[in-house]
């Protein structure tokens, strides 16, 4: 691989939801990882979740938004990699259930990484339409956790 | 109430006896009022001795006292840290999270003599009898950057170093952040990141540290006695009070915390890491991963001999190799 190819790969990797990438050939090895939690990542995530206010969308000029009448599906996505907990303790009820109304700031689940518990909060008002992960499942960065039906 | 805090502060800040008259003059109250306040402080457990003709003298008897803690902190920390001391509370982490609704410029330290609803990972019950150390730090996170695996390993190392230096005994660290003494757990740490949906970032962090400091093992529930240990013997032998030890932990933690994101403390962490070169089983949700632990990487993850880096889960089995 030459430098150009590597640069392109890094940029593609940056755009992709992949968190880690490893390439090994006989005499070459490349390991890319986005495994850290930062504002940048959180922001990227939030932006990609709201196409209307997305910086990315702003940068793509003159592209018509298709089917503007059909609202985009809204998700709460994982801002970091880790184990997801859908309930505060094994014996307690889930943070949220399908059909439940959530408000901005409501805790919908907890993600644990390296013994750090992060309460994941909904950033919008709406109804939980789908729970997309299982309790204690390992989730990837950017993975949709809940689908929210905005009201 | 305000006067009793002032009297406690004056007595805590000196090693010399203070006469009732001097205290009275200073606070512009009567000597009888001073005497009443001293009696009340004594009744709540502060050890204040009245020496004939000399006055009152304070003895640090391990009753939690923020002025004694501050006296033992570095000058900078003593200025910056805010304290909230409780006799009993549901959980110092819950309290810290309540306080996180407001913005704080400087770290806050919440300490309790006991907890009625102490909890660990995934809401697990954490036994919290009186006499130990239940301490939560509420840290502002102005950089909005957080390296979870380095923060938790750094905290474990800070507590371990405090135990080594102050109590002359060598604990071992069980990845990620449990401290063991003779294979019995003496310290548990639970860190919680607080996200702010307006700034869309992690703007505060709560680190809860539970240390079995003075507890006697029979004070703990029978089901955990087999797995739990206590520093009591070492704390009594070294004559280090709870307040002095809390100050040592805070001094050590904030020293490492300044640069923890560089991972410069990891060599010291690895040295104390009990799992390295052992066969381990790591429970990750419903899944179990077994392998030989070979290293702790630059992010604090455990590395297995097959090259796998693991950042989540709990070590449930250790086999000596």
């Amino acid at each position: 691989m030459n430098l150009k190819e590597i640069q392109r790969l890094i940029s593609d990797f940056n755009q992709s939801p992949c968190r880690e990438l490893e390439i090994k050939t006989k005499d070459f090895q490349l390991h890319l990882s986005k495994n850290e939690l930062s504002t940048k990542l959180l922001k990227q995530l939030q932006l990609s979740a709201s196409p209307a206010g997305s910086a990315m969308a702003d940068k793509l000029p003159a592209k018509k938004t298709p089917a503007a009448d059909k609202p985009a599906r809204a998700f709460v996505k994982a801002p970091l990699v880790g184990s997801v907990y859908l309930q505060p303790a094994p014996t307690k009820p889930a943070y949220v259930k399908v059909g439940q109304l959530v408000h901005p700031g409501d805790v919908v689940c907890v993600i644990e990484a390296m013994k750090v518990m992060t309460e994941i909060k909904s950033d919008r008002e709406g109804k939980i339409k789908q729970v997309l992960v299982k309790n204690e499942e390992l989730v990837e960065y950017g993975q949709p956790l809940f689908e929210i039906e905005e009201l | 109430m305000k006067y009793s805090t002032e009297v406690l502060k004056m007595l805590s800040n000196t090693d010399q006896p203070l006469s009732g008259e001097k205290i009275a003059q200073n606070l512009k109250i009567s000597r009888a009022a001073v005497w009443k306040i001293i009696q009340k402080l004594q009744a709540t457990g502060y050890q204040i001795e009245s020496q004939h003709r000399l006055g009152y003298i304070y003895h640090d008897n391990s009753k939690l006292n923020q002025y004694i803690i501050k006296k033992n902190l570095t000058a900078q920390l003593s200025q910056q840290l805010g304290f909230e001391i409780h006799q009993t509370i549901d959980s110092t982490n819950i309290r810290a999270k309540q306080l996180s609704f407001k913005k704080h410029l400087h770290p806050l330290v919440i300490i309790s003599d006991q907890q009625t609803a102490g909890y660990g990972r995934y809401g697990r019950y954490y036994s919290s009898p009186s006499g130990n150390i239940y301490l939560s730090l509420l840290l502002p996170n102005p950089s909005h950057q957080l390296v979870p695996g380095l923060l938790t390993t750094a905290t474990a190392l800070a507590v371990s170093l405090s135990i080594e230096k102050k109590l002359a005994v060598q604990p071992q660290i069980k990845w990620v952040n449990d401290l063991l003494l003779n294979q019995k757990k003496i310290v548990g740490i639970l860190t919680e990141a607080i996200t702010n949906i307006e700034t869309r970032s992690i703007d505060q962090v709560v680190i809860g540290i539970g240390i079995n400091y003075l507890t006697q093992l029979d004070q703990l529930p029978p089901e955990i006695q087999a797995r739990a240990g206590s520093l009591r013997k070492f704390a009594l032998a070294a004559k280090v009070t709870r307040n002095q030890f809390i100050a040592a932990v805070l001094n050590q933690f904030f020293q490492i915390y300044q640069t923890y994101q560089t991972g410069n403390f990891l060599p010291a962490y690895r040295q104390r890491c009990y799992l390295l070169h052992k066969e381990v089983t790591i429970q990750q949700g419903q899944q179990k991963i077994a392998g030989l632990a070979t290293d702790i990487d630059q992010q604090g993850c455990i590395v297995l001999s097959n090259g796998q880096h693991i950042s989540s889960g709990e070590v449930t089995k250790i086999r000596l190799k």
Side-chain angles (χ1 to χ4, degrees):
Chain A
M1 269 184 137
N2 61 32
L3 184 65
K4 267 241 167 79
E5 286 175 285
I6 293 174
Q7 280 172 336
R8 213 184 60 208
L9 189 72
I10 290 177
S11 119
D12 284 352
F13 173 71
N14 271 335
Q15 309 283 322
S16 84
C18 289
R19 186 173 55 77
E20 276 191 65
L21 175 70
E22 191 156 1
I23 296 172
K24 259 190 209 168
T25 59
K26 216 167 55 205
D27 50 1
F28 178 80
Q29 188 178 345
L30 179 71
H31 182 96
L32 301 176
S33 171
K34 295 193 282 206
N35 272 351
E36 75 169 36
L37 182 58
S38 69
T39 335
K40 244 200 207 149
L41 293 183
L42 273 167
K43 275 204 178 125
Q44 259 180 21
L45 173 69
Q46 297 295 346
L47 287 172
S48 61
S50 57
S54 159
M56 304 270 225
D58 293 344
K59 273 185 204 153
L60 299 173
K63 224 187 185 182
K64 266 191 209 159
T65 34
D69 50 311
K70 200 178 172 191
R73 296 169 75 191
F75 297 100
V76 176
K77 295 182 185 176
L80 69 160
V81 179
S83 302
V84 64
Y85 295 114
L86 297 176
Q87 55 209 65
T91 53
K92 298 228 170 110
Y95 288 103
V96 290
K97 287 183 301 211
V98 171
Q100 190 176 328
L101 215 61
V102 289
H103 304 281
D106 284 358
V107 175
V108 291
C109 64
V110 164
I111 295 182
E112 176 196 357
M114 298 295 295
K115 272 262 180 136
V116 176
M117 311 288 156
T118 305
E119 286 181 345
I120 308 303
K121 297 167 182 165
S122 175
D123 66 339
R124 62 194 74 214
E125 183 148 349
K127 213 189 244 175
I128 302 281
K129 197 173 169 192
Q130 257 192 100
V131 182
L132 301 163
V133 286
K134 283 206 265 323
N135 194 36
E136 293 190 62
E137 184 179 320
L138 203 64
V139 295
E140 296 295 319
Y141 162 75
Q143 185 175 335
L145 306 171
F146 299 91
E147 183 173 356
I148 308 246
E149 191 181 342
E150 289 183 278
L151 304 170
Chain B
M1 187 61 213
K2 187 178 143 255
Y3 286 126
S4 78
T5 314
E6 283 303 315
V7 171
L8 181 63
K9 187 175 173 181
M10 285 174 74
L11 285 167
S12 304
N13 282 335
T14 175
D15 300 322
Q16 302 299 316
L18 274 182
S19 71
E21 198 174 339
K22 201 162 176 192
I23 297 171
Q25 272 177 5
N26 226 302
L27 299 177
K28 300 190 173 65
I29 55 176
S30 70
R31 280 178 63 182
V34 171
W35 182 76
K36 258 193 185 159
I37 289 169
I38 299 271
Q39 283 213 312
K40 240 174 72 189
L41 287 172
Q42 286 169 330
T44 32
Y46 296 102
Q47 196 183 338
I48 299 166
E49 186 194 351
S50 160
Q51 289 181 342
H52 186 57
R53 289 199 183 171
L54 291 171
Y56 301 107
I57 188 154
Y58 188 86
H59 297 287
D60 181 15
N61 62 343
S62 275
K63 164 98 179 164
L64 292 172
N65 178 336
Q66 64 164 303
Y67 305 108
I68 302 288
I69 297 172
K70 279 187 181 164
K71 215 164 90 173
N72 288 283
L73 289 177
T74 63
Q76 198 195 0
L77 283 182
S78 164
Q79 280 227 320
Q80 282 183 351
L81 299 186
F83 283 87
E84 202 182 275
I85 310 264
H86 298 268
Q87 268 318 295
T88 181
I89 196 169
D90 45 5
S91 140
T92 56
N93 263 30
I94 291 178
R95 179 64 188 148
K97 286 200 277 183
Q98 285 165 355
L99 291 167
S100 76
F101 286 107
K102 249 180 68 185
K103 280 249 171 301
H104 304 274
L105 272 174
H106 297 296
L108 281 179
V109 186
I110 299 107
I111 310 172
S112 186
D113 179 61
Q114 56 181 307
Q115 297 184 118
T116 53
Y119 63 95
R121 192 180 138 268
Y122 196 13
R124 227 185 260 163
Y125 170 70
Y126 185 82
S127 169
S128 316
S130 163
N132 289 329
I133 296 172
Y134 310 104
L135 180 156
S136 291
L137 290 167
L138 175 61
L139 303 171
N141 187 34
S143 74
H144 299 299
Q145 300 281 327
L146 183 73
V147 192
L150 293 184
L151 185 59
T152 46
T153 47
T155 308
L157 178 65
V159 180
S160 182
L161 286 170
S162 314
I163 293 171
E164 293 161 33
K165 288 178 188 168
K166 285 286 164 185
L167 309 183
V169 59
Q170 178 75 58
Q172 286 176 309
I173 301 173
K174 178 177 163 241
W175 182 84
V176 179
N177 59 13
D178 284 347
L179 259 58
L180 310 179
L181 198 60
N182 304 319
Q183 268 129 80
K184 303 279 175 83
K185 180 162 161 175
I186 48 169
V187 176
I189 298 169
L190 184 74
T191 305
E192 301 187 61
I194 314 280
T195 50
N196 180 328
I197 57 157
E198 273 149 38
T199 60
R200 291 171 169 171
S201 59
I202 288 175
D203 64 355
Q204 295 181 80
V205 179
V206 173
I207 303 179
I209 305 174
I211 306 172
N212 287 350
Y213 196 71
L214 290 176
T215 202
Q216 279 163 314
L217 287 182
D218 55 18
Q219 287 178 289
L220 295 171
E223 62 273 20
I224 67 166
Q225 276 182 27
R227 287 177 284 123
S230 171
L231 289 167
R232 181 183 176 85
K233 194 172 86 186
F234 305 95
L236 295 179
K239 294 195 171 68
V240 177
T241 67
R242 239 188 334 175
N243 295 312
Q244 290 168 333
F245 189 74
I246 288 168
V249 170
L250 293 172
N251 284 333
Q252 188 71 62
F253 171 80
F254 283 101
Q255 194 202 322
I256 297 177
Y257 181 61
Q258 285 181 352
T259 57
Y260 88 93
Q261 302 210 357
T262 64
N264 58 353
F265 63 89
L266 282 169
Y269 178 90
R270 288 187 190 105
Q271 247 178 35
R272 292 161 178 80
C273 190
Y274 169 59
L275 301 181
L276 290 186
H277 317 299
K278 294 189 174 86
E279 292 282 349
V280 296
T281 303
I282 298 168
Q283 181 101 31
Q284 223 175 42
Q286 300 306 321
Q287 198 194 350
K288 275 184 185 165
I289 306 162
L292 177 69
T294 55
D295 197 8
I296 301 294
D297 73 12
Q298 279 305 107
Q299 304 292 312
C301 299
I302 198 162
V303 184
L304 299 182
S305 55
N306 66 3
Q308 216 177 341
H309 292 235
I310 293 173
S311 66
S312 172
E314 188 168 14
V315 177
T316 53
K317 262 190 218 157
I318 302 156
R319 204 148 42 83
L320 290 162
K321 241 233 148 175

